[in-house]
């Protein structure tokens, strides 16, 4: 049973290779299985963002392979990589990053339109997604008419709209108050348990770390510690 | 959805978008106004040339135009007239006897071009009769009457009834002179012509030249300006012994003006397009730079480069179409209005205009069928100038764009 969705093999990312090389990521091996709920922690500058960008196909490693669901994304052409992201990876960014001119519903629909999904399927899926993130009332609002927490839930709905292999989130709660942060975590947790959605998120927030089922600690671009994954939903 | 996004993106900066739309509107409005005015002046000039100066086509002895000697007469006209009357496009035929000479009065002398005319045909052929401002005309027949221009009359201090002497060479190169009396004074919109051209009776002039009844020039008017070249080539083969010239050949300066105005029109159009291109380039660059994050984010989510490129072009098209059609429409409506009612340019100085042979009232015209091509040129220009911003947009790296 090979259920590894993310497999990084000996990856390194070096900045300023010609002057004073900075290893943002150094010889890193990482496996993430389907259904995991993993927090990426570590001091500032330890390489969390760099690692998430590499796994998300937004950046290329200087060494090593990144295999997502059987595909080595380091070998894809730029155009193929964009397409790969569209169909396989869901993104939630720190500062919300919704498209401001589109409503909550349109933001989620945008991804599905890029994928070429039919109108009926889009409508159905949007209904379901916004029920899951508990925003059915606010579906026709623009981002500017939503609170930060609501915007981040729209971002989660949008990330899920493409039915990705997993969702990457770089400090998703950093700009939220503690109540909104806890609410977002509730929803992510529920999606993980009920829909078996894989989440990989970075965070500094101890309360968020406490709710993760696997915690990977990075120091200087290397894994300093890795707790055993607690596979609740994966087990059955 | 890209269309929706593009449309809404335009309105994120209402003021900026409205300003650029309005500049497009005003630019095109001004452009069309100038082009329509040029066209109106041109049409008016061509009408003046054809109706008052040359007619559509003129026939001469092959050597006449070069040497302008009175011995180069057309000769027996009965055969020629038969041929001319058989061509349906020809609606008027006018005969003239011509000579260059000197005019002398007690105050001085002046070189003149003498037109010997038959008033019966001349008055319906050219607008001479309408231009006569003082005195009677040659129809109340007395011998040796002359019609002179106002400008010449003023210069030589001549009045109705004044006496003057005309001198010219006859066919045998003898100097002939004869006394004439001013019967009328005309004034046209073409000052240089007024100073040079005088009219006498054709039969009297031909007798003085020793060529009774002979003519040097046959002028033709056609039912359609566009038939000129066709009829001219027909006449060339039918009348091989005569020189056939159209108004364009007789008045090359007018033909030159047509070409000059045409190229000016292109230059004006190009200047407007360059201004438009820079306006669009600037606006779209600004719009792209301030949305770096957003465009990077869309690319991160999986929007292809073609889609992002297309988004930028769509926004450009919306901006352009927000301004261009209105400018074209207003410009065209104005040209239609003034085409109907005439535009009085006397404020620009009547004398200046008439010394260049222009009329004071201009009927600007801008053909409706040119509106769509202009609109297409505008849109294409705008699209071309948005290529740089669009390339900038697709080359944004999501990773840089998303950095906090
Ligand atoms: N574009 C860049 N050029 C040079 N060095 C960079 C660049 N981006 C990141 N780095 C360096 O790489 C290392 C890892 O940075 P990264 O942003 O991944 O850390 P992080 O764990 O996300 O930090 P934080 O918790 O503050 O977000 C840091 O030492 C950083 O200075
Ligand atoms: Mg970071």
């Amino acid at each position: 049973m090979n259920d590894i969705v993310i497999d990084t093999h000996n990856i390194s990312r070096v900045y300023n290779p010609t002057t004073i090389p900075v290893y943002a990521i150094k010889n890193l091996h990482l496996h993430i299985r389907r259904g995991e709920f993993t927090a990426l922690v570590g001091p500032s500058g330890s390489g969390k963002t760099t690692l998430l960008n590499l796994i998300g196909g937004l950046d290329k490693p200087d060494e090593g392979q990144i295999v997502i669901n059987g595909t080595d994304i380091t070998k894809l052409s730029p155009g193929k990589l964009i397409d790969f992201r569209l169909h396989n990876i869901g993104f939630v960014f720190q500062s919300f990053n919704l498209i401001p001119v589109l409503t909550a519903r349109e933001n989620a629909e945008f991804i599905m339109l890029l994928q070429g999904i039919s109108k009926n399927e889009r409508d159905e899926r949007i209904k379901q997604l916004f029920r899951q993130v508990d925003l059915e009332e606010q579906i026709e609002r623009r981002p500017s008419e939503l609170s930060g927490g609501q915007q981040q839930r729209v971002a989660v709905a949008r990330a899920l709209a493409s039915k990705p292999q997993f969702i990457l989130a770089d400090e998703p709660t950093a700009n939220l108050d503690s109540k909104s942060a806890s609410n977002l975590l509730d929803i992510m947790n529920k999606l993980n348990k009920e829909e078996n959605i894989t989440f990989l998120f970075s965070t500094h927030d101890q309360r968020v770390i406490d709710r993760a089922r696997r915690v990977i600690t990075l120091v200087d671009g290397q894994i300093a510690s890795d707790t055993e994954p607690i596979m609740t939903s994966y087990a059955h | 959805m890209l269309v929706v996004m593009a449309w809404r993106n335009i309105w994120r900066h209402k003021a900026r978008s409205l300003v650029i739309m309005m500049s497009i509107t005003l630019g095109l409005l001004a452009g069309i106004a100038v082009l329509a005015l040029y066209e109106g002046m041109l049409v008016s000039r061509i009408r003046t040339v054809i109706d008052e100066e040359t007619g559509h086509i003129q026939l001469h002895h092959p050597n006449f135009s070069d040497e302008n000697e009175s011995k180069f007469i057309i000769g027996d006209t009965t055969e020629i007239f038969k041929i001319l009357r058989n061509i349906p496009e020809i609606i008027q035929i006018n005969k003239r006897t011509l000579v260059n000479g000197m005019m002398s009065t007690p105050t001085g002398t002046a070189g003149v071009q003498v037109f010997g005319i038959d008033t019966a045909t001349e008055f319906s052929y050219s607008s001479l009769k309408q231009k006569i401002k003082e005195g009677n005309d040659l129809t109340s027949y007395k011998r040796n009457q002359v019609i002179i221009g106002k400008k010449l009359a003023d210069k030589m201090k001549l009045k109705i009834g004044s006496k003057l002497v005309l001198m010219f060479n006859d066919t045998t190169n003898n100097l002939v002179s004869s006394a004439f009396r001013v019967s009328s004074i005309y004034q046209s919109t073409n000052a240089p012509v007024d100073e040079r051209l005088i009219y006498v009776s054709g039969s009297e002039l031909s007798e003085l030249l020793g060529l009774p009844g002979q003519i040097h020039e046959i002028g033709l008017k056609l039912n359609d300006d566009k038939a000129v070249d066709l009829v001219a080539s027909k006449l060339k083969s039918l009348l091989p012994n005569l020189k056939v010239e159209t108004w364009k050949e007789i008045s090359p300066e007018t033909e030159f003006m047509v070409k000059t105005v045409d190229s000016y029109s292109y230059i004006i159009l190009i200047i407007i397009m360059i201004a438009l291109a820079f306006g669009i380039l600037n606006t779209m660059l600004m719009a792209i730079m301030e949305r770096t994050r957003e465009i990077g984010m869309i690319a991160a989510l999986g929007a292809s480069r073609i889609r992002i490129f297309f988004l930028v072009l769509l926004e450009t098209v919306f901006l352009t179409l927000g301004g261009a059609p209105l400018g074209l429409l207003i410009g065209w409506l104005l040209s239609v209005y003034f085409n109907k009612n005439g535009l009085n340019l006397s404020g620009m100085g009547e004398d200046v205009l008439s010394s260049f042979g222009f009329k004071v009232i201009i009927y600007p015209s801008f053909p409706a069928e040119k509106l769509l091509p202009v609109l297409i040129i505008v849109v294409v220009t705008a699209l071309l100038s948005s290529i740089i911003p669009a390339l900038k947009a697709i080359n944004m790296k999501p990773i840089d764009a998303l950095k906090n």
Side-chain angles (χ1 to χ4, degrees):
Chain A
M1 186 168 72
N2 185 8
D3 245 353
I4 294 175
V5 280
I6 302 171
D7 177 3
T8 78
H9 182 77
N10 197 28
I11 55 169
S12 297
R13 179 75 175 94
V14 194
Y15 289 110
N16 313 323
T18 49
T19 53
I20 314 151
V22 177
Y23 275 85
I25 294 294
K26 198 168 183 183
N27 304 109
L28 190 134
H29 292 269
L30 174 68
H31 303 288
I32 303 262
R33 290 168 193 277
R34 190 174 310 284
E36 284 190 14
F37 196 72
T38 308
L40 202 53
V41 303
S44 186
S46 57
K48 304 182 292 294
T49 299
T50 306
L51 181 59
L52 288 175
N53 284 340
L54 288 169
I55 294 171
L58 300 175
D59 196 4
K60 288 221 166 192
D62 296 293
E63 258 176 65
Q65 285 97 46
I66 301 169
V67 179
I68 307 285
N69 208 33
T71 305
D72 183 353
I73 63 166
T74 59
K75 300 239 155 53
L76 294 176
S77 69
K80 284 256 167 63
L81 193 57
I82 291 173
D83 211 48
F84 188 87
R85 287 204 298 267
L86 174 63
H87 288 96
N88 295 282
I89 304 171
F91 290 95
V92 174
F93 306 101
Q94 176 183 336
S95 38
F96 321 141
N97 279 315
L98 298 173
I99 301 167
V101 292
L102 299 183
T103 64
R105 183 178 59 72
E106 287 166 338
N107 261 282
E109 197 175 1
F110 180 69
I111 299 294
M112 291 189 271
L113 274 166
L114 293 181
Q115 289 182 316
I117 291 171
S118 76
K119 172 105 179 87
N120 278 344
E121 200 180 325
R122 294 200 307 262
D123 287 349
E124 212 167 291
R125 192 150 171 69
I126 282 168
K127 233 189 229 160
Q128 184 203 342
L129 286 169
F130 280 85
R131 201 179 321 119
Q132 285 170 342
V133 299
D134 197 20
L135 279 176
E136 287 161 293
E137 307 280 306
Q138 290 82 7
I139 192 161
E140 296 303 341
R141 292 207 197 154
R142 298 264 184 106
S144 57
E145 300 160 344
L146 296 170
S147 74
Q150 289 171 332
Q151 285 185 53
Q152 212 54 323
R153 275 142 64 195
V154 174
V156 171
R158 179 180 67 181
L160 284 171
S162 63
K163 298 197 171 172
Q165 299 293 331
F166 54 86
I167 290 183
L168 297 176
D170 194 7
E171 305 196 30
T173 59
N175 288 355
L176 299 183
D177 59 75
S178 59
K179 193 157 165 274
S180 302
S182 139
N183 184 249
L184 182 71
L185 256 288
D186 286 343
I187 283 166
M188 284 165 59
N189 228 318
K190 192 178 77 183
L191 285 164
N192 173 253
K193 280 187 178 151
E194 292 174 5
E195 311 281 329
N196 202 28
I197 309 281
T198 312
F199 281 91
L200 174 59
F201 51 91
S202 69
T203 187
H204 284 290
D205 186 341
Q206 190 55 46
R207 283 165 302 181
V208 175
I209 298 169
D210 289 344
R211 301 184 58 171
R213 280 190 289 284
R214 177 180 175 187
V215 178
I216 298 170
T217 310
L218 285 187
V219 175
D220 292 338
Q222 291 178 307
I223 295 177
S225 75
D226 186 356
T227 66
E228 275 300 297
I230 309 162
M231 302 300 290
T232 47
S233 62
Y234 177 67
H236 56 248
Chain B
M1 180 98 43
L2 282 182
V3 175
V4 175
M5 278 172 73
W7 177 250
R8 292 185 191 160
N9 279 335
I10 297 287
W11 299 110
R12 283 163 88 164
H13 288 273
K14 271 204 190 73
R16 188 172 73 198
S17 295
L18 283 175
V19 164
I20 184 87
M21 282 179 189
M22 250 157 62
S23 2
I24 295 173
T25 305
L26 289 178
L28 284 176
L29 176 59
I32 290 209
V34 172
L35 294 185
L37 202 61
Y38 272 5
E39 181 70 17
M41 287 172 100
L42 204 62
V43 166
S44 138
R45 179 76 193 117
I46 291 173
R47 276 267 68 80
T48 309
V49 167
I50 293 175
D51 292 348
E52 301 175 15
E53 295 171 21
T54 65
H56 283 107
I57 295 174
Q58 291 185 353
L59 309 176
H60 297 100
H61 185 282
N63 295 344
F64 178 80
S65 335
D66 303 335
E67 306 181 22
N68 213 351
E69 275 189 56
S70 44
K71 65 179 177 203
F72 297 119
I73 52 172
I74 284 184
D76 182 20
T77 55
T78 43
E79 266 310 302
I80 297 171
F81 274 57
K82 224 185 251 168
I83 289 168
L84 295 178
R85 291 206 178 93
N86 269 330
I87 295 176
E89 287 92 347
I90 297 175
I91 51 171
Q92 271 182 31
I93 304 172
N94 185 48
K95 306 176 284 183
R96 285 173 185 159
T97 305
L98 311 171
V99 74
N100 286 338
M102 290 285 287
M103 181 180 94
S104 74
T105 68
T107 52
T109 57
V112 287
Q113 209 176 338
V114 188
F115 275 25
I117 56 172
D118 178 352
T119 51
T121 54
E122 183 73 35
F123 283 171
S124 62
Y125 183 80
S126 72
S127 53
L128 175 61
K129 191 179 168 94
Q130 290 78 45
K131 286 189 268 186
I132 289 176
K133 294 277 151 23
E134 286 176 65
N136 64 344
D137 45 58
L138 298 179
T139 45
S140 60
Y141 190 72
K142 281 185 206 147
R143 280 199 71 83
N144 285 11
Q145 296 192 100
V146 61
I147 304 175
I148 63 171
K150 177 112 175 43
K151 196 112 197 227
L152 185 64
D154 290 346
K155 192 172 131 192
M156 306 295 283
K157 299 200 172 63
L158 293 167
K159 292 198 193 72
I160 302 289
S162 300
K163 260 174 121 181
L164 55 87
V165 174
L166 290 181
M167 288 174 291
F168 37 79
N169 291 328
D170 69 4
T171 45
T172 53
N173 261 343
N174 289 324
L175 197 68
V176 256
S177 68
S178 183
F180 285 79
R181 206 177 272 281
V182 176
S183 72
S184 346
I185 294 173
Y186 73 90
Q187 186 178 18
S188 74
T189 54
N190 195 335
V193 168
D194 283 17
E195 201 173 332
R196 199 178 66 242
L197 218 63
I198 67 173
Y199 298 87
V200 301
S201 153
S203 55
E204 285 172 12
L205 183 62
S206 59
E207 266 170 46
L208 284 169
L209 288 168
L211 300 161
Q214 295 292 353
I215 57 166
H216 297 104
E217 175 178 300
I218 298 176
L220 304 175
K221 281 235 180 112
L222 309 181
N223 56 4
D224 184 2
D225 289 346
K226 294 189 194 84
V228 160
D229 294 321
L230 188 79
V231 175
S233 67
K234 217 190 269 182
L235 288 174
K236 274 175 194 162
S237 60
L238 288 172
L239 301 167
N241 294 326
L242 290 180
K243 187 168 196 178
V244 180
E245 290 171 300
T246 66
W247 65 265
K248 296 176 204 172
E249 294 159 292
I250 304 160
S251 178
E253 69 278 7
T254 308
E255 171 75 348
F256 175 72
M257 202 176 86
V258 172
K259 294 208 170 110
T260 316
V261 168
D262 273 355
S263 46
Y264 270 145
S265 306
Y266 282 116
I267 292 170
I268 287 175
L269 209 60
I270 288 170
I271 291 173
I272 293 174
M273 291 307 137
I274 290 174
L276 175 88
F278 276 102
I280 291 278
L281 180 72
N282 186 41
T283 308
M284 290 313 293
L285 266 184
M286 239 198 300
I288 297 307
M289 297 318 270
E290 69 194 12
R291 288 199 336 249
T292 304
R293 260 183 94 80
E294 192 178 321
I295 291 164
M297 180 260 297
I298 293 172
L301 294 178
S304 66
R305 303 164 69 147
I306 294 169
R307 285 191 161 106
I308 292 170
F309 195 85
F310 190 57
L311 179 68
V312 177
L313 292 201
L314 266 176
E315 289 183 25
T316 308
V317 169
F318 283 140
L319 269 185
T320 316
L321 291 185
L326 191 66
L328 289 173
L329 186 71
I330 297 174
W332 182 69
L333 288 178
L334 279 178
S335 81
V336 168
Y337 173 82
F338 283 115
N339 192 269
K340 218 167 155 195
N341 298 299
L343 180 64
N344 197 328
L345 292 184
S346 55
M348 275 173 63
E350 212 159 321
D351 295 346
V352 178
L353 285 169
S354 83
S355 64
F356 287 108
F358 284 111
K359 294 199 166 147
V360 173
I361 296 194
I362 298 289
Y363 296 88
S365 81
F366 193 87
E369 66 266 20
K370 272 196 194 165
L371 288 172
L372 192 63
V374 170
L375 184 62
I376 291 172
I377 293 173
V378 169
V379 172
V380 170
T381 308
L383 285 180
L384 288 179
S385 55
S386 69
I387 284 179
I388 294 173
L391 287 178
K392 213 161 187 110
I394 66 173
N395 283 324
M396 279 176 182
K397 291 227 169 64
I399 184 164
D400 299 328
L402 289 168
K403 230 172 243 159
N404 291 315

